[in-house]
Amino acid sequence: MARVHNWQIGRDMSYWYPENRPQKQFAAVFDINKCIACQTCTLACKTTWTSGKGQEYMLWNNVESKPYGFYPLSWDLKLLQMLGAQQWQGGEYSGRTIFESAEAGQRVLGWRPDERDYAYPNVGEDDCAGQIDNGADLHVPHLTWFFYLARICNHCTYPACLAACPRGSIYKRPEDGIVLVDQGRCRGYRECVQGCPYKKVFYNPLTGTSEKCIACYPKGENGLQPQCFVNCIGKIRLAGFLSTPNAAKPENPLDYLVHIRKVALPLFPQFGLEPNVYYIPPIHAPATFLHQMFGPGSEAAIRTYRAAANDPDLAGLLGLFGSTERTVAIWKREDDWFIGLDDREQEIVRVPLREPVHVRPAYDEKHQIARVNCP
């Protein structure tokens, strides 16, 4: 086992291979507060990548209703129980990661779902925690709550699927950090399925090999965001490339959200994988639940997000989400306009801080007629 640095848990940790970061790291930010669980992202991915035989159960992208939604069943609860106590000392995780908790003879602490675990992709949809008896006052966080969690492969810096594979068939692309499966080397041992804590590697029983989200890298190579991103109705997603904290660039939209403003957080950082999909936590859910899911920065992230109405830079950047299918590498503000540029610093999109509002009078003086809402 090598020693590597994981900035998300604030310390060095044990990992199967030495630290070897890519030239650029594909990453994304999801704004949970805007997700409506329409599953358009799920279908966009499904019809593009997993419509073949043996892929019927595969959902490289899915949306779950937390706290009772899972795909596969209890993917997070089972591992959290296996991992045991997960203590944070400030910004440092003092518990053990899934690599440090692995039993003798294993590379990663994990479990393998069975067929029944994949039988209910929408289990718990819109099921909420708590109940309302004889009425209740509205306050935040809510007593009765749920939220939608959209999930794809996290293309982790320290992938458990890569560490678990005895064939060396899983690798990170050096040019963008996307995690892929070399199906020519794969023999279907399914150690990757067992090892991935997010359960985003799937076994194809017809081909006898594993398959997973590829971050739509053919699109990325042409400066475009993945299918699930550009088809998102709620405009909750922004893809790009993320720097390490010590090399963060304020003009990089992902660096700004993750490192500078710290409004977007990783999913279960205590697992130790340094995942590269980040979430703006829901503002209405209990702090203790969010602390376990996103780490100790969740409450500060919510405060920053809720203050965005008085923070034009943050509000404007959030407005760039879903505004273009191109990958926004650089952003800047010009008065009340927010501009997205590509990696060649060419403008690709421009959005206003506030949409213009035009109120037409009920009576049209020019045509001497009253306007009505119906034809």
Side-chain angles (χ1 to χ4, degrees), residues 39 57 59 61-81 111 113 115-127 145 147-151 197-200 202 267-268 289 292-293:
Q39 302 287 359
Y57 79 104
L59 294 176
N61 177 109
N62 73 296
V63 182
E64 303 167 357
S65 296
K66 289 299 182 186
Y68 300 126
F70 321 90
Y71 188 74
L73 282 175
S74 300
W75 65 267
D76 47 1
L77 297 182
K78 289 182 180 179
L79 188 59
L80 289 168
Q81 185 176 23
W111 65 282
E115 185 175 341
R116 184 179 298 179
D117 292 322
Y118 292 110
Y120 310 98
N122 275 353
V123 67
E125 186 171 37
D126 291 353
D127 282 352
W145 59 275
F147 63 87
Y148 302 122
L149 182 71
R151 299 204 301 120
Y198 305 104
K199 298 304 171 218
K200 281 300 177 182
F202 299 86
L267 180 63
F268 292 116
F289 188 88
Q292 183 183 55
M293 180 168 280

Tab-separated table of all heavy atoms in Angstrom, residues 39 57 59 61-81 111 113 115-127 145 147-151 197-200 202 267-268 289 292-293:
chain	number	residue	atom	x	y	z
A	39	GLN	N	-35.908	12.763	-14.335
A	39	GLN	CA	-35.214	11.607	-14.894
A	39	GLN	C	-34.870	11.786	-16.383
A	39	GLN	O	-34.535	10.807	-17.065
A	39	GLN	CB	-36.033	10.315	-14.697
A	39	GLN	CG	-36.367	9.980	-13.268
A	39	GLN	CD	-35.188	9.468	-12.450
A	39	GLN	OE1	-34.080	9.341	-12.952
A	39	GLN	NE2	-35.428	9.192	-11.166
A	57	TYR	N	-30.487	-3.426	-16.986
A	57	TYR	CA	-30.568	-2.935	-15.613
A	57	TYR	C	-29.587	-1.798	-15.336
A	57	TYR	O	-29.600	-1.201	-14.252
A	57	TYR	CB	-30.304	-4.081	-14.634
A	57	TYR	CG	-28.837	-4.431	-14.458
A	57	TYR	CD1	-28.150	-4.041	-13.311
A	57	TYR	CD2	-28.132	-5.131	-15.436
A	57	TYR	CE1	-26.812	-4.348	-13.132
A	57	TYR	CE2	-26.798	-5.440	-15.271
A	57	TYR	CZ	-26.141	-5.052	-14.117
A	57	TYR	OH	-24.810	-5.351	-13.958
A	59	LEU	N	-27.948	1.667	-15.099
A	59	LEU	CA	-28.248	3.099	-15.073
A	59	LEU	C	-26.961	3.816	-14.689
A	59	LEU	O	-26.652	3.993	-13.519
A	59	LEU	CB	-29.363	3.409	-14.069
A	59	LEU	CG	-30.750	2.844	-14.389
A	59	LEU	CD1	-31.724	3.154	-13.268
A	59	LEU	CD2	-31.270	3.368	-15.715
A	61	ASN	N	-26.436	6.832	-15.085
A	61	ASN	CA	-26.968	8.017	-14.401
A	61	ASN	C	-28.301	7.623	-13.780
A	61	ASN	O	-29.115	6.944	-14.408
A	61	ASN	CB	-27.174	9.151	-15.413
A	61	ASN	CG	-27.787	10.402	-14.796
A	61	ASN	OD1	-27.122	11.424	-14.645
A	61	ASN	ND2	-29.064	10.370	-14.451
A	62	ASN	N	-28.530	8.031	-12.549
A	62	ASN	CA	-29.845	7.834	-11.938
A	62	ASN	C	-30.107	8.961	-10.952
A	62	ASN	O	-29.177	9.683	-10.556
A	62	ASN	CB	-29.944	6.469	-11.235
A	62	ASN	CG	-29.147	6.419	-9.949
A	62	ASN	OD1	-27.924	6.529	-9.959
A	62	ASN	ND2	-29.829	6.239	-8.826
A	63	VAL	N	-31.369	9.131	-10.572
A	63	VAL	CA	-31.749	10.147	-9.591
A	63	VAL	C	-32.524	9.455	-8.481
A	63	VAL	O	-33.511	8.767	-8.740
A	63	VAL	CB	-32.611	11.260	-10.222
A	63	VAL	CG1	-32.948	12.323	-9.180
A	63	VAL	CG2	-31.897	11.892	-11.414
A	64	GLU	N	-32.056	9.640	-7.242
A	64	GLU	CA	-32.665	8.994	-6.085
A	64	GLU	C	-33.330	10.021	-5.182
A	64	GLU	O	-32.880	11.171	-5.095
A	64	GLU	CB	-31.585	8.260	-5.272
A	64	GLU	CG	-30.812	7.239	-6.071
A	64	GLU	CD	-29.561	6.749	-5.362
A	64	GLU	OE1	-29.268	7.248	-4.252
A	64	GLU	OE2	-28.870	5.875	-5.924
A	65	SER	N	-34.385	9.613	-4.505
A	65	SER	CA	-35.022	10.449	-3.485
A	65	SER	C	-34.437	10.076	-2.120
A	65	SER	O	-34.676	8.986	-1.625
A	65	SER	CB	-36.539	10.237	-3.457
A	65	SER	OG	-37.134	10.640	-4.659
A	66	LYS	N	-33.649	10.946	-1.560
A	66	LYS	CA	-33.081	10.693	-0.239
A	66	LYS	C	-34.032	11.219	0.831
A	66	LYS	O	-34.654	12.263	0.638
A	66	LYS	CB	-31.713	11.362	-0.123
A	66	LYS	CG	-30.633	10.692	-0.964
A	66	LYS	CD	-30.437	9.266	-0.526
A	66	LYS	CE	-29.344	8.573	-1.313
A	66	LYS	NZ	-29.250	7.137	-0.976
A	67	PRO	N	-34.211	10.507	1.950
A	67	PRO	CA	-33.301	9.495	2.473
A	67	PRO	C	-33.641	8.045	2.157
A	67	PRO	O	-32.894	7.158	2.558
A	67	PRO	CB	-33.404	9.717	3.989
A	67	PRO	CG	-34.839	10.106	4.178
A	67	PRO	CD	-35.180	10.957	2.975
A	68	TYR	N	-34.735	7.763	1.450
A	68	TYR	CA	-35.166	6.371	1.298
A	68	TYR	C	-34.962	5.804	-0.098
A	68	TYR	O	-35.340	4.657	-0.358
A	68	TYR	CB	-36.644	6.233	1.692
A	68	TYR	CG	-36.923	6.641	3.110
A	68	TYR	CD1	-37.899	7.587	3.405
A	68	TYR	CD2	-36.192	6.103	4.166
A	68	TYR	CE1	-38.158	7.977	4.714
A	68	TYR	CE2	-36.446	6.487	5.468
A	68	TYR	CZ	-37.427	7.422	5.739
A	68	TYR	OH	-37.680	7.813	7.031
A	69	GLY	N	-34.368	6.564	-0.995
A	69	GLY	CA	-34.131	6.069	-2.354
A	69	GLY	C	-32.712	5.560	-2.537
A	69	GLY	O	-31.759	6.162	-2.033
A	70	PHE	N	-32.577	4.448	-3.244
A	70	PHE	CA	-31.262	3.851	-3.491
A	70	PHE	C	-31.304	3.106	-4.830
A	70	PHE	O	-32.311	2.508	-5.165
A	70	PHE	CB	-30.882	2.816	-2.426
A	70	PHE	CG	-31.257	3.165	-1.019
A	70	PHE	CD1	-32.492	2.802	-0.499
A	70	PHE	CD2	-30.364	3.826	-0.201
A	70	PHE	CE1	-32.832	3.093	0.800
A	70	PHE	CE2	-30.692	4.129	1.115
A	70	PHE	CZ	-31.926	3.766	1.615
A	71	TYR	N	-30.200	3.116	-5.548
A	71	TYR	CA	-30.030	2.200	-6.672
A	71	TYR	C	-28.555	1.894	-6.821
A	71	TYR	O	-27.774	2.777	-7.152
A	71	TYR	CB	-30.577	2.784	-7.977
A	71	TYR	CG	-30.568	1.747	-9.088
A	71	TYR	CD1	-31.508	0.717	-9.091
A	71	TYR	CD2	-29.608	1.765	-10.089
A	71	TYR	CE1	-31.485	-0.254	-10.077
A	71	TYR	CE2	-29.588	0.802	-11.075
A	71	TYR	CZ	-30.527	-0.203	-11.062
A	71	TYR	OH	-30.508	-1.180	-12.042
A	72	PRO	N	-28.146	0.654	-6.543
A	72	PRO	CA	-28.941	-0.472	-6.058
A	72	PRO	C	-29.383	-0.257	-4.595
A	72	PRO	O	-28.976	0.714	-3.966
A	72	PRO	CB	-27.985	-1.653	-6.178
A	72	PRO	CG	-26.626	-1.038	-6.036
A	72	PRO	CD	-26.718	0.299	-6.701
A	73	LEU	N	-30.202	-1.184	-4.105
A	73	LEU	CA	-30.778	-1.045	-2.781
A	73	LEU	C	-29.711	-0.845	-1.710
A	73	LEU	O	-28.736	-1.604	-1.628
A	73	LEU	CB	-31.622	-2.281	-2.432
A	73	LEU	CG	-33.025	-2.373	-3.050
A	73	LEU	CD1	-33.658	-3.704	-2.691
A	73	LEU	CD2	-33.896	-1.214	-2.608
A	74	SER	N	-29.890	0.207	-0.916
A	74	SER	CA	-29.045	0.470	0.264
A	74	SER	C	-27.556	0.521	-0.066
A	74	SER	O	-26.725	0.114	0.747
A	74	SER	CB	-29.305	-0.596	1.347
A	74	SER	OG	-30.650	-0.581	1.743
A	75	TRP	N	-27.232	1.051	-1.259
A	75	TRP	CA	-25.817	1.078	-1.637
A	75	TRP	C	-24.965	1.845	-0.638
A	75	TRP	O	-23.811	1.478	-0.382
A	75	TRP	CB	-25.658	1.683	-3.036
A	75	TRP	CG	-26.058	3.135	-3.140
A	75	TRP	CD1	-27.274	3.621	-3.490
A	75	TRP	CD2	-25.235	4.278	-2.885
A	75	TRP	NE1	-27.281	5.000	-3.476
A	75	TRP	CE2	-26.036	5.433	-3.116
A	75	TRP	CE3	-23.911	4.462	-2.498
A	75	TRP	CZ2	-25.549	6.736	-2.951
A	75	TRP	CZ3	-23.421	5.761	-2.348
A	75	TRP	CH2	-24.241	6.872	-2.575
A	76	ASP	N	-25.514	2.899	-0.050
A	76	ASP	CA	-24.749	3.700	0.897
A	76	ASP	C	-24.882	3.180	2.339
A	76	ASP	O	-23.896	3.108	3.067
A	76	ASP	CB	-25.165	5.168	0.824
A	76	ASP	CG	-26.681	5.371	0.831
A	76	ASP	OD1	-27.415	4.370	0.919
A	76	ASP	OD2	-27.126	6.533	0.752
A	77	LEU	N	-26.077	2.783	2.734
A	77	LEU	CA	-26.292	2.343	4.113
A	77	LEU	C	-25.462	1.115	4.467
A	77	LEU	O	-24.914	1.015	5.571
A	77	LEU	CB	-27.778	2.054	4.348
A	77	LEU	CG	-28.738	3.236	4.202
A	77	LEU	CD1	-30.156	2.793	4.515
A	77	LEU	CD2	-28.321	4.384	5.107
A	78	LYS	N	-25.377	0.165	3.545
A	78	LYS	CA	-24.635	-1.059	3.832
A	78	LYS	C	-23.160	-0.761	4.062
A	78	LYS	O	-22.539	-1.291	4.996
A	78	LYS	CB	-24.804	-2.061	2.686
A	78	LYS	CG	-26.195	-2.676	2.606
A	78	LYS	CD	-26.286	-3.694	1.490
A	78	LYS	CE	-27.686	-4.301	1.415
A	78	LYS	NZ	-27.814	-5.288	0.304
A	79	LEU	N	-22.591	0.101	3.229
A	79	LEU	CA	-21.176	0.396	3.387
A	79	LEU	C	-20.911	1.267	4.613
A	79	LEU	O	-19.920	1.072	5.317
A	79	LEU	CB	-20.629	1.087	2.131
A	79	LEU	CG	-19.113	1.276	2.117
A	79	LEU	CD1	-18.396	-0.061	2.237
A	79	LEU	CD2	-18.660	2.003	0.870
A	80	LEU	N	-21.807	2.214	4.889
A	80	LEU	CA	-21.642	3.031	6.086
A	80	LEU	C	-21.642	2.167	7.343
A	80	LEU	O	-20.882	2.401	8.283
A	80	LEU	CB	-22.743	4.087	6.161
A	80	LEU	CG	-22.663	5.227	5.140
A	80	LEU	CD1	-23.962	6.032	5.139
A	80	LEU	CD2	-21.472	6.136	5.422
A	81	GLN	N	-22.499	1.154	7.347
A	81	GLN	CA	-22.547	0.246	8.490
A	81	GLN	C	-21.261	-0.575	8.580
A	81	GLN	O	-20.728	-0.785	9.676
A	81	GLN	CB	-23.762	-0.676	8.374
A	81	GLN	CG	-23.970	-1.575	9.578
A	81	GLN	CD	-25.247	-2.403	9.453
A	81	GLN	OE1	-25.748	-2.629	8.360
A	81	GLN	NE2	-25.769	-2.846	10.581
A	111	TRP	N	-18.988	-4.533	-0.861
A	111	TRP	CA	-19.979	-5.603	-0.942
A	111	TRP	C	-20.527	-5.647	-2.366
A	111	TRP	O	-20.476	-4.652	-3.097
A	111	TRP	CB	-21.121	-5.386	0.050
A	111	TRP	CG	-21.937	-4.161	-0.235
A	111	TRP	CD1	-21.610	-2.863	0.048
A	111	TRP	CD2	-23.205	-4.099	-0.912
A	111	TRP	NE1	-22.588	-1.999	-0.389
A	111	TRP	CE2	-23.581	-2.731	-0.984
A	111	TRP	CE3	-24.059	-5.057	-1.452
A	111	TRP	CZ2	-24.773	-2.315	-1.577
A	111	TRP	CZ3	-25.240	-4.633	-2.030
A	111	TRP	CH2	-25.587	-3.274	-2.089
A	113	PRO	N	-23.740	-6.243	-4.825
A	113	PRO	CA	-25.199	-6.365	-4.905
A	113	PRO	C	-25.599	-7.645	-5.634
A	113	PRO	O	-24.871	-8.147	-6.511
A	113	PRO	CB	-25.619	-5.122	-5.704
A	113	PRO	CG	-24.441	-4.195	-5.662
A	113	PRO	CD	-23.239	-5.069	-5.559
A	115	GLU	N	-29.007	-9.722	-7.681
A	115	GLU	CA	-29.984	-9.358	-8.709
A	115	GLU	C	-31.160	-8.579	-8.135
A	115	GLU	O	-31.653	-7.632	-8.755
A	115	GLU	CB	-30.488	-10.634	-9.404
A	115	GLU	CG	-31.421	-10.377	-10.575
A	115	GLU	CD	-31.784	-11.665	-11.291
A	115	GLU	OE1	-31.066	-12.667	-11.137
A	115	GLU	OE2	-32.809	-11.665	-12.014
A	116	ARG	N	-31.612	-8.947	-6.950
A	116	ARG	CA	-32.761	-8.275	-6.350
A	116	ARG	C	-32.456	-6.817	-6.017
A	116	ARG	O	-33.344	-5.963	-6.061
A	116	ARG	CB	-33.201	-9.021	-5.098
A	116	ARG	CG	-34.460	-8.455	-4.443
A	116	ARG	CD	-34.862	-9.253	-3.225
A	116	ARG	NE	-35.185	-10.623	-3.558
A	116	ARG	CZ	-35.556	-11.545	-2.673
A	116	ARG	NH1	-35.632	-11.224	-1.385
A	116	ARG	NH2	-35.830	-12.776	-3.053
A	117	ASP	N	-31.205	-6.519	-5.703
A	117	ASP	CA	-30.838	-5.144	-5.353
A	117	ASP	C	-31.028	-4.181	-6.523
A	117	ASP	O	-31.185	-2.977	-6.318
A	117	ASP	CB	-29.387	-5.088	-4.874
A	117	ASP	CG	-29.188	-5.796	-3.549
A	117	ASP	OD1	-30.079	-5.691	-2.690
A	117	ASP	OD2	-28.147	-6.468	-3.379
A	118	TYR	N	-30.994	-4.722	-7.724
A	118	TYR	CA	-31.165	-3.882	-8.908
A	118	TYR	C	-32.601	-3.889	-9.441
A	118	TYR	O	-32.861	-3.344	-10.501
A	118	TYR	CB	-30.232	-4.363	-10.024
A	118	TYR	CG	-28.764	-4.148	-9.752
A	118	TYR	CD1	-27.915	-5.234	-9.503
A	118	TYR	CD2	-28.213	-2.878	-9.757
A	118	TYR	CE1	-26.561	-5.043	-9.273
A	118	TYR	CE2	-26.857	-2.675	-9.520
A	118	TYR	CZ	-26.041	-3.768	-9.279
A	118	TYR	OH	-24.709	-3.575	-9.050
A	119	ALA	N	-33.516	-4.500	-8.718
A	119	ALA	CA	-34.874	-4.685	-9.231
A	119	ALA	C	-35.772	-3.469	-9.041
A	119	ALA	O	-36.855	-3.408	-9.617
A	119	ALA	CB	-35.519	-5.912	-8.571
A	120	TYR	N	-35.357	-2.498	-8.224
A	120	TYR	CA	-36.247	-1.392	-7.880
A	120	TYR	C	-35.527	-0.046	-8.075
A	120	TYR	O	-35.145	0.617	-7.106
A	120	TYR	CB	-36.719	-1.523	-6.425
A	120	TYR	CG	-37.261	-2.898	-6.100
A	120	TYR	CD1	-36.475	-3.850	-5.465
A	120	TYR	CD2	-38.567	-3.241	-6.449
A	120	TYR	CE1	-36.961	-5.110	-5.179
A	120	TYR	CE2	-39.072	-4.494	-6.159
A	120	TYR	CZ	-38.264	-5.430	-5.522
A	120	TYR	OH	-38.758	-6.678	-5.242
A	121	PRO	N	-35.355	0.387	-9.320
A	121	PRO	CA	-34.587	1.617	-9.559
A	121	PRO	C	-35.221	2.876	-8.989
A	121	PRO	O	-34.517	3.846	-8.711
A	121	PRO	CB	-34.497	1.689	-11.088
A	121	PRO	CG	-35.624	0.838	-11.587
A	121	PRO	CD	-35.792	-0.245	-10.577
A	122	ASN	N	-36.530	2.880	-8.784
A	122	ASN	CA	-37.201	4.069	-8.251
A	122	ASN	C	-37.748	3.856	-6.847
A	122	ASN	O	-38.678	4.546	-6.425
A	122	ASN	CB	-38.338	4.518	-9.177
A	122	ASN	CG	-37.828	5.412	-10.286
A	122	ASN	OD1	-36.669	5.799	-10.295
A	122	ASN	ND2	-38.689	5.737	-11.224
A	123	VAL	N	-37.173	2.918	-6.108
A	123	VAL	CA	-37.648	2.674	-4.754
A	123	VAL	C	-37.497	3.949	-3.933
A	123	VAL	O	-36.531	4.700	-4.066
A	123	VAL	CB	-36.865	1.517	-4.096
A	123	VAL	CG1	-35.411	1.889	-3.860
A	123	VAL	CG2	-37.512	1.080	-2.792
A	124	GLY	N	-38.492	4.227	-3.097
A	124	GLY	CA	-38.433	5.388	-2.227
A	124	GLY	C	-38.651	6.717	-2.919
A	124	GLY	O	-38.429	7.768	-2.305
A	125	GLU	N	-39.105	6.691	-4.159
A	125	GLU	CA	-39.266	7.954	-4.877
A	125	GLU	C	-40.305	8.841	-4.177
A	125	GLU	O	-41.439	8.420	-3.934
A	125	GLU	CB	-39.692	7.706	-6.330
A	125	GLU	CG	-39.722	8.984	-7.152
A	125	GLU	CD	-39.916	8.715	-8.633
A	125	GLU	OE1	-40.680	7.782	-8.974
A	125	GLU	OE2	-39.318	9.423	-9.442
A	126	ASP	N	-39.902	10.046	-3.838
A	126	ASP	CA	-40.731	11.056	-3.179
A	126	ASP	C	-41.180	10.644	-1.780
A	126	ASP	O	-42.070	11.281	-1.211
A	126	ASP	CB	-41.965	11.408	-4.028
A	126	ASP	CG	-41.606	12.163	-5.289
A	126	ASP	OD1	-40.425	12.536	-5.436
A	126	ASP	OD2	-42.488	12.382	-6.133
A	127	ASP	N	-40.579	9.590	-1.209
A	127	ASP	CA	-40.871	9.250	0.189
A	127	ASP	C	-40.098	10.205	1.090
A	127	ASP	O	-38.893	10.408	0.903
A	127	ASP	CB	-40.436	7.812	0.494
A	127	ASP	CG	-41.418	6.795	-0.040
A	127	ASP	OD1	-42.490	7.210	-0.501
A	127	ASP	OD2	-41.106	5.589	-0.005
A	145	TRP	N	-38.997	16.055	5.178
A	145	TRP	CA	-38.117	16.447	4.082
A	145	TRP	C	-37.724	15.256	3.221
A	145	TRP	O	-37.754	14.108	3.639
A	145	TRP	CB	-36.837	17.097	4.638
A	145	TRP	CG	-36.072	16.188	5.552
A	145	TRP	CD1	-36.276	16.008	6.886
A	145	TRP	CD2	-35.022	15.288	5.187
A	145	TRP	NE1	-35.414	15.074	7.384
A	145	TRP	CE2	-34.619	14.615	6.368
A	145	TRP	CE3	-34.366	14.998	3.996
A	145	TRP	CZ2	-33.599	13.665	6.373
A	145	TRP	CZ3	-33.346	14.053	3.990
A	145	TRP	CH2	-32.973	13.393	5.176
A	147	PHE	N	-35.001	14.965	-0.621
A	147	PHE	CA	-34.392	15.705	-1.730
A	147	PHE	C	-33.905	14.714	-2.782
A	147	PHE	O	-33.781	13.523	-2.522
A	147	PHE	CB	-33.252	16.610	-1.258
A	147	PHE	CG	-32.070	15.891	-0.649
A	147	PHE	CD1	-31.036	15.409	-1.433
A	147	PHE	CD2	-31.982	15.723	0.725
A	147	PHE	CE1	-29.946	14.758	-0.874
A	147	PHE	CE2	-30.889	15.080	1.304
A	147	PHE	CZ	-29.871	14.597	0.498
A	148	TYR	N	-33.667	15.243	-3.968
A	148	TYR	CA	-33.257	14.407	-5.089
A	148	TYR	C	-31.744	14.439	-5.253
A	148	TYR	O	-31.129	15.509	-5.251
A	148	TYR	CB	-33.918	14.891	-6.379
A	148	TYR	CG	-35.429	14.897	-6.322
A	148	TYR	CD1	-36.144	16.069	-6.541
A	148	TYR	CD2	-36.142	13.739	-6.034
A	148	TYR	CE1	-37.530	16.089	-6.489
A	148	TYR	CE2	-37.524	13.745	-5.966
A	148	TYR	CZ	-38.213	14.919	-6.200
A	148	TYR	OH	-39.585	14.940	-6.136
A	149	LEU	N	-31.167	13.271	-5.391
A	149	LEU	CA	-29.723	13.129	-5.550
A	149	LEU	C	-29.436	12.488	-6.905
A	149	LEU	O	-29.677	11.297	-7.104
A	149	LEU	CB	-29.134	12.277	-4.428
A	149	LEU	CG	-27.623	12.095	-4.458
A	149	LEU	CD1	-26.926	13.402	-4.092
A	149	LEU	CD2	-27.185	10.974	-3.511
A	150	ALA	N	-28.958	13.288	-7.839
A	150	ALA	CA	-28.562	12.771	-9.158
A	150	ALA	C	-27.151	12.205	-9.056
A	150	ALA	O	-26.262	12.839	-8.482
A	150	ALA	CB	-28.630	13.890	-10.190
A	151	ARG	N	-26.937	11.020	-9.631
A	151	ARG	CA	-25.640	10.357	-9.470
A	151	ARG	C	-25.110	9.830	-10.794
A	151	ARG	O	-25.844	9.260	-11.596
A	151	ARG	CB	-25.744	9.193	-8.487
A	151	ARG	CG	-26.169	9.596	-7.098
A	151	ARG	CD	-25.722	8.591	-6.054
A	151	ARG	NE	-26.244	7.248	-6.300
A	151	ARG	CZ	-25.485	6.176	-6.500
A	151	ARG	NH1	-24.166	6.270	-6.504
A	151	ARG	NH2	-26.034	4.992	-6.690
A	197	PRO	N	-17.779	2.027	-3.927
A	197	PRO	CA	-18.765	2.304	-2.871
A	197	PRO	C	-20.020	2.962	-3.411
A	197	PRO	O	-21.080	2.884	-2.777
A	197	PRO	CB	-18.007	3.246	-1.926
A	197	PRO	CG	-17.014	3.931	-2.794
A	197	PRO	CD	-16.596	2.898	-3.809
A	198	TYR	N	-19.923	3.611	-4.570
A	198	TYR	CA	-21.073	4.293	-5.164
A	198	TYR	C	-21.863	3.366	-6.093
A	198	TYR	O	-22.899	3.762	-6.631
A	198	TYR	CB	-20.598	5.525	-5.933
A	198	TYR	CG	-19.763	6.459	-5.091
A	198	TYR	CD1	-18.378	6.504	-5.230
A	198	TYR	CD2	-20.347	7.284	-4.133
A	198	TYR	CE1	-17.597	7.347	-4.450
A	198	TYR	CE2	-19.582	8.126	-3.351
A	198	TYR	CZ	-18.201	8.155	-3.514
A	198	TYR	OH	-17.441	8.984	-2.736
A	199	LYS	N	-21.346	2.152	-6.310
A	199	LYS	CA	-21.990	1.130	-7.136
A	199	LYS	C	-22.293	1.662	-8.548
A	199	LYS	O	-23.399	1.513	-9.067
A	199	LYS	CB	-23.270	0.602	-6.464
A	199	LYS	CG	-22.996	-0.062	-5.129
A	199	LYS	CD	-21.970	-1.190	-5.241
A	199	LYS	CE	-21.528	-1.704	-3.881
A	199	LYS	NZ	-20.112	-2.039	-3.821
A	200	LYS	N	-21.287	2.260	-9.153
A	200	LYS	CA	-21.427	2.795	-10.499
A	200	LYS	C	-20.618	2.016	-11.534
A	200	LYS	O	-20.337	2.522	-12.615
A	200	LYS	CB	-21.034	4.281	-10.507
A	200	LYS	CG	-22.149	5.179	-9.982
A	200	LYS	CD	-23.410	5.037	-10.822
A	200	LYS	CE	-24.578	5.840	-10.300
A	200	LYS	NZ	-25.791	5.639	-11.132
A	202	PHE	N	-20.995	-1.725	-13.513
A	202	PHE	CA	-22.018	-2.736	-13.753
A	202	PHE	C	-21.432	-3.896	-14.565
A	202	PHE	O	-20.599	-3.685	-15.450
A	202	PHE	CB	-23.201	-2.123	-14.525
A	202	PHE	CG	-23.892	-1.009	-13.802
A	202	PHE	CD1	-23.431	0.299	-13.900
A	202	PHE	CD2	-25.010	-1.244	-13.017
A	202	PHE	CE1	-24.063	1.343	-13.243
A	202	PHE	CE2	-25.651	-0.213	-12.350
A	202	PHE	CZ	-25.176	1.083	-12.462
A	267	LEU	N	-19.353	13.748	-2.415
A	267	LEU	CA	-20.298	12.792	-1.854
A	267	LEU	C	-19.551	11.725	-1.063
A	267	LEU	O	-18.713	11.014	-1.608
A	267	LEU	CB	-21.108	12.143	-2.984
A	267	LEU	CG	-22.152	11.095	-2.596
A	267	LEU	CD1	-23.236	11.712	-1.724
A	267	LEU	CD2	-22.768	10.462	-3.842
A	268	PHE	N	-19.830	11.652	0.233
A	268	PHE	CA	-19.179	10.721	1.149
A	268	PHE	C	-17.645	10.788	1.026
A	268	PHE	O	-16.988	9.808	0.664
A	268	PHE	CB	-19.666	9.288	0.917
A	268	PHE	CG	-21.099	9.063	1.287
A	268	PHE	CD1	-22.039	8.710	0.325
A	268	PHE	CD2	-21.523	9.214	2.597
A	268	PHE	CE1	-23.373	8.516	0.663
A	268	PHE	CE2	-22.854	9.011	2.948
A	268	PHE	CZ	-23.780	8.669	1.974
A	289	PHE	N	-27.719	14.933	8.790
A	289	PHE	CA	-27.768	14.056	7.619
A	289	PHE	C	-26.781	14.539	6.563
A	289	PHE	O	-26.045	13.752	5.963
A	289	PHE	CB	-29.185	14.026	7.056
A	289	PHE	CG	-29.404	13.007	5.972
A	289	PHE	CD1	-29.767	11.713	6.275
A	289	PHE	CD2	-29.241	13.346	4.630
A	289	PHE	CE1	-29.965	10.762	5.276
A	289	PHE	CE2	-29.437	12.414	3.630
A	289	PHE	CZ	-29.797	11.121	3.939
A	292	GLN	N	-23.057	13.859	7.371
A	292	GLN	CA	-22.602	12.503	7.054
A	292	GLN	C	-22.427	12.323	5.554
A	292	GLN	O	-21.488	11.653	5.101
A	292	GLN	CB	-23.592	11.467	7.575
A	292	GLN	CG	-23.119	10.032	7.318
A	292	GLN	CD	-24.121	9.004	7.771
A	292	GLN	OE1	-25.268	9.043	7.369
A	292	GLN	NE2	-23.692	8.088	8.621
A	293	MET	N	-23.299	12.929	4.756
A	293	MET	CA	-23.272	12.702	3.313
A	293	MET	C	-22.206	13.532	2.603
A	293	MET	O	-21.559	13.053	1.666
A	293	MET	CB	-24.656	13.007	2.719
A	293	MET	CG	-24.745	12.801	1.224
A	293	MET	SD	-26.435	12.842	0.606
A	293	MET	CE	-26.982	11.187	1.014
